Amino acid sequence: MYELSAVMMNHNSKIIDSSASNLANIQTPGYHAERYDISFSKMMDSPAVSGTQYTDLSQGKLKQTSNQKSFAIENGQFQLQAENAQTMEFKRSVVVAVNSDGYLEDSSGALIIGSNGPVLVGEQDFNIDDSGNILVDGRLVDELLVVGMNEQAQESGSYSVLKGYSEESNVDSMIEIKMMLESSQRINSIQSGLSRYDSMIALLDDYIGEL
């Protein structure tokens, strides 16, 4: 009983920690909520059942900004190549600039990826239209590589690039508070149950000692 109670309190504490972190990042643009999931019914059969940590990739609200180099996308994600060139990143909104080598990059220094790889625009003025076409002085040079959509959307090209927009976090404060309260209540119930169990054991010990 003590082992199962300790495991259940630990899992509920992780849920609370995840929600607290999400609330702390609710104003962070592009932040996606972290989730900790555990089947408490399965745990009753096997305390060794482990929880799963994952990221909620649902899209946050798109907010209009005054920055005309900020681009957001509906029904997809921009693909970027990290500075170390070893990993790929995926974002729904980016602030685009030209680096010293003439390639498009986002504010973190990751390269914007087009259908032909990293996008070279040189020192010329560039624009990205709502279809993801990259234009340099009005001339088409590449198309954004858009990923993360379902197959039907990708075939139809039914995504839209919005200029002057950014993605807000997808954290819902009411959901996070509800999850924290429920987990706290479960922890309190477990602690109360253990206290009652200890009291019952103590009474039994006293009773047996009097026999």
Side-chain angles (χ1 to χ4, degrees):
M1 178 177 181
Y2 289 108
E3 179 185 359
L4 177 60
S5 296
V7 171
M8 292 184 70
M9 285 194 291
N10 180 57
H11 285 308
N12 279 287
S13 293
K14 289 182 178 180
I15 293 174
I16 292 173
D17 290 343
S18 292
S19 289
S21 177
N22 292 337
L23 287 173
N25 285 282
I26 195 169
Q27 298 297 330
T28 302
Y31 176 83
H32 292 113
E34 293 294 326
R35 293 275 174 255
Y36 183 81
D37 187 44
I38 181 70
S39 173
F40 290 106
S41 59
K42 291 182 179 179
M43 192 186 302
M44 298 300 293
D45 298 325
S46 174
V49 172
S50 59
T52 302
Q53 189 84 36
Y54 66 96
T55 302
D56 177 2
L57 296 178
S58 61
Q59 183 163 325
K61 292 181 180 179
L62 300 182
K63 178 182 179 181
Q64 190 167 15
T65 74
S66 59
N67 187 349
Q68 292 302 295
K69 296 302 182 184
S70 178
F71 297 88
I73 191 167
E74 291 183 308
N75 299 322
Q77 299 178 60
F78 300 112
Q79 182 167 328
L80 301 96
Q81 180 176 301
E83 280 189 284
N84 59 19
Q86 299 296 316
T87 59
M88 288 294 176
E89 300 176 3
F90 303 94
K91 298 181 180 180
R92 289 196 175 93
S93 65
V94 291
V95 177
V96 182
V98 181
N99 67 17
S100 58
D101 295 321
Y103 287 92
L104 295 185
E105 66 177 15
D106 80 337
S107 54
S108 70
L111 294 173
I112 306 295
I113 302 300
S115 58
N116 298 316
V119 182
L120 179 65
V121 299
E123 298 179 355
Q124 298 169 295
D125 188 36
F126 74 91
N127 188 29
I128 302 174
D129 67 18
D130 58 4
S131 297
N133 295 314
I134 303 167
L135 308 167
V136 174
D137 287 339
R139 177 175 53 88
L140 178 65
V141 296
D142 206 340
E143 181 181 3
L144 288 173
L145 186 59
V146 177
V147 297
M149 303 180 300
N150 60 51
E151 185 176 342
Q152 182 178 358
Q154 191 147 11
E155 289 179 352
S156 65
S158 59
Y159 60 85
S160 180
V161 177
L162 304 177
K163 184 177 183 179
Y165 281 79
S166 66
E167 182 193 18
E168 297 184 306
S169 78
N170 66 352
V171 176
D172 185 321
S173 60
M174 297 304 295
I175 290 176
E176 303 303 333
I177 292 171
K178 180 175 180 288
M179 293 177 70
M180 293 177 75
L181 288 174
E182 290 176 345
S183 293
S184 296
Q185 289 170 353
R186 283 194 289 264
I187 290 175
N188 289 334
S189 295
I190 294 169
Q191 291 174 332
S192 296
L194 287 174
S195 179
R196 289 193 297 270
Y197 179 77
D198 288 340
S199 297
M200 182 181 67
I201 294 298
L203 286 173
L204 286 173
D205 285 342
D206 291 343
Y207 176 74
I208 293 172
E210 292 174 358
L211 292 179

